[in-house]
Amino acid sequence: MLIKIARPSDCQASEITPESLYLSRRAVLGASLAGIAAGALPGMALGAEPSRYADAAPGAAPGWFTDKLGTARWQAITVKDEPITPFKDATHYNNFYEFGTDKGDPAANAGSLKTEPWSLVVDGEVAKPGRYALEDFVKPYQLEERIYRLRCVEAWSMVIPWLGFSLAEVLKQVEPTSKARYLRFETLQDPKSMPGQRSSFALIDWPYVEGLRLDEAMNPLAILAVGMYGRELPNQNGAPLRLIVPWKYGFKSIKSIVRISLVAERPTTTWESLAPTEYGFYANVNPTVDHPRWTQARERRLPSGLFSPNVRDTLMFNGYADEVASLYSGLDLRKNY
Ligand SMILES: Nc1nc2c(c(=O)[nH]1)N[C@H]1C(S)=C(S)[C@@H](COP(=O)(O)O)O[C@H]1N2
Ligand SMILES: [Mo]
């Protein structure tokens, strides 16, 4: 059941909490959000290399990551004149429903996620399917720093320095067949370490699934990230491997990926299947197509507070129109939101 609320006239945090609001209204049907286990803070061990970002907590990177960092291309893509969001905000204001629906839940609970060893399956319509240990999967690719805007469908945004590699390069290696038209990504399903998957009111049909058209996935902006702020990904940000598609709303950027399948049909994705009138398959950032419950014309850039809300205009394709608009020529973006 969808509960409609009055459309706010501007971006106010108190009114715009769509994904979590949607869930918490459902949760009212039950008692409280039970089953959320406390965990240690992830990735806070000592002894790692000092980060290039002074405010970033050092991680406890696995050896393969530290090796890759040595040959990383720093600032391969950057955002001009927009400061990078403080590490603290990027790691303590998260959406990762496997660990709870409040913004602070992932940081508090994701310590239980075991990211080593990690294996990844690539299958479906590819000439070279395989199951890889993460370090073997990552080995062939050039690590690059990509400083991108991240725009959540909830109308807040950040600027985050990711470390990752080109998804197009991965596709070249696995060789999609002529039948492959879409990618389907799947997050880990492990109720033992993911309290959100144990919650009896969770309406998400786990595992979390996302998808892209093959030509979108081939766009040079699309990356698989293994790090941020000069270090490995903190668990709450989707360790050890996540998708980043900066011209789309944040929910497309699926975390903690265990499977990538090349498929002929458009995959059924998590938020689209939950509320198809609110969250589309494309989910391209578009200030001219409002969410049914709030405007998408503006966004709160974090850090954002009561006295300095830091509201700015949302840009078409999140500011990446030059790079991606041609993917959608001839497509009605009002219908294909
Ligand atoms: N598996 C999984 N991936 C996910 C989500 C989630 O709940 N589960 N939330 C999405 C949403 S709504 C956003 S805005 C981004 C947030 O990424 P960040 O926490 O690193 O900023 O992750 C996306 N990826
Ligand atoms: Mo989001």
Side-chain angles (χ1 to χ4, degrees):
M1 169 186 61
L2 274 172
I3 297 165
K4 303 285 177 198
I5 58 171
R7 190 165 115 179
S9 56
D10 205 343
C11 305
Q12 279 184 27
S14 57
E15 295 171 283
I16 300 174
T17 51
E19 293 155 328
S20 52
L21 177 71
Y22 184 77
L23 285 200
S24 60
R25 291 280 165 96
R26 298 290 293 244
V28 171
L29 300 170
S32 64
L33 278 169
I36 296 184
L41 270 178
M44 296 294 175
L46 300 169
E49 272 187 32
S51 169
R52 304 166 67 93
Y53 293 91
D55 68 327
W64 64 262
F65 182 86
T66 312
D67 292 347
K68 279 255 153 218
L69 215 49
T71 56
R73 235 179 250 145
W74 297 95
Q75 298 190 29
I77 298 182
T78 63
V79 175
K80 253 200 181 160
D81 304 327
E82 293 173 46
I84 288 170
T85 302
F87 178 81
K88 178 90 182 171
D89 295 279
T91 55
H92 289 78
Y93 191 91
N94 300 103
N95 278 331
F96 198 171
Y97 279 22
E98 285 83 341
F99 295 101
T101 55
D102 288 344
K103 293 289 181 279
D105 286 345
N109 299 327
S112 55
L113 178 67
K114 195 170 170 267
T115 58
E116 263 191 292
W118 191 270
S119 72
L120 176 78
V121 172
V122 181
D123 64 2
E125 293 295 340
V126 286
K128 297 180 179 163
R131 173 186 286 273
Y132 308 80
L134 183 62
E135 55 270 37
D136 297 331
F137 176 72
V138 169
K139 211 164 266 166
Y141 309 114
Q142 169 70 45
L143 204 60
E144 287 189 359
E145 184 176 54
R146 303 282 186 96
I147 303 174
Y148 285 156
R149 299 178 199 89
L150 173 78
R151 169 56 158 87
C152 178
V153 73
E154 297 167 333
W156 52 264
S157 66
M158 306 195 196
V159 174
I160 299 183
W162 304 107
L163 283 161
F165 47 93
S166 157
L167 182 55
E169 290 300 319
V170 173
L171 290 166
K172 272 183 219 156
Q173 293 270 342
V174 302
E175 298 176 16
T177 70
S178 60
K179 286 192 197 135
R181 290 183 56 220
Y182 293 90
L183 279 75
R184 180 185 183 279
F185 299 85
E186 210 176 277
T187 294
L188 177 70
Q189 179 158 27
D190 181 30
K192 282 200 295 300
S193 65
M194 295 175 146
Q197 294 181 342
R198 299 198 294 269
S199 161
S200 40
F201 338 91
L203 54 149
I204 290 180
D205 187 13
W206 310 107
Y208 193 100
V209 170
E210 259 309 334
L212 294 173
R213 253 176 22 196
L214 181 56
D215 61 334
E216 295 180 307
M218 294 291 293
N219 187 277
L221 288 180
I223 59 167
L224 290 174
V226 291
M228 63 195 273
Y229 296 82
R231 48 158 287 169
E232 81 280 11
L233 284 175
N235 288 0
Q236 62 266 39
N237 294 91
L241 182 77
R242 72 175 294 179
L243 178 68
I244 301 293
V245 274
W247 69 98
K248 293 178 178 285
Y249 291 122
F251 68 86
K252 298 295 288 184
S253 291
I254 181 173
K255 296 177 169 181
S256 305
I257 298 167
V258 293
R259 184 184 205 131
I260 303 175
S261 308
L262 278 283
V263 292
E265 305 293 328
R266 189 162 109 179
T268 304
T269 53
T270 294
W271 279 102
E272 190 195 9
S273 63
L274 221 45
T277 60
E278 307 198 12
Y279 311 106
F281 175 81
Y282 281 96
N284 290 316
V285 175
N286 188 340
T288 71
V289 176
D290 287 343
H291 184 279
R293 292 187 274 133
W294 61 87
T295 176
Q296 293 292 26
R298 287 171 295 280
E299 66 199 51
R300 280 186 307 123
R301 173 65 51 86
L302 270 66
S304 150
L306 203 51
F307 301 107
S308 57
N310 206 11
V311 170
R312 57 169 59 221
D313 288 345
T314 289
L315 305 173
M316 189 64 205
F317 296 115
N318 205 21
Y320 301 101
D322 289 350
E323 291 87 350
V324 303
S326 63
L327 289 169
Y328 310 104
S329 55
L331 196 70
D332 182 346
L333 296 177
R334 216 152 254 297
K335 290 199 182 110
N336 298 280
Y337 50 87

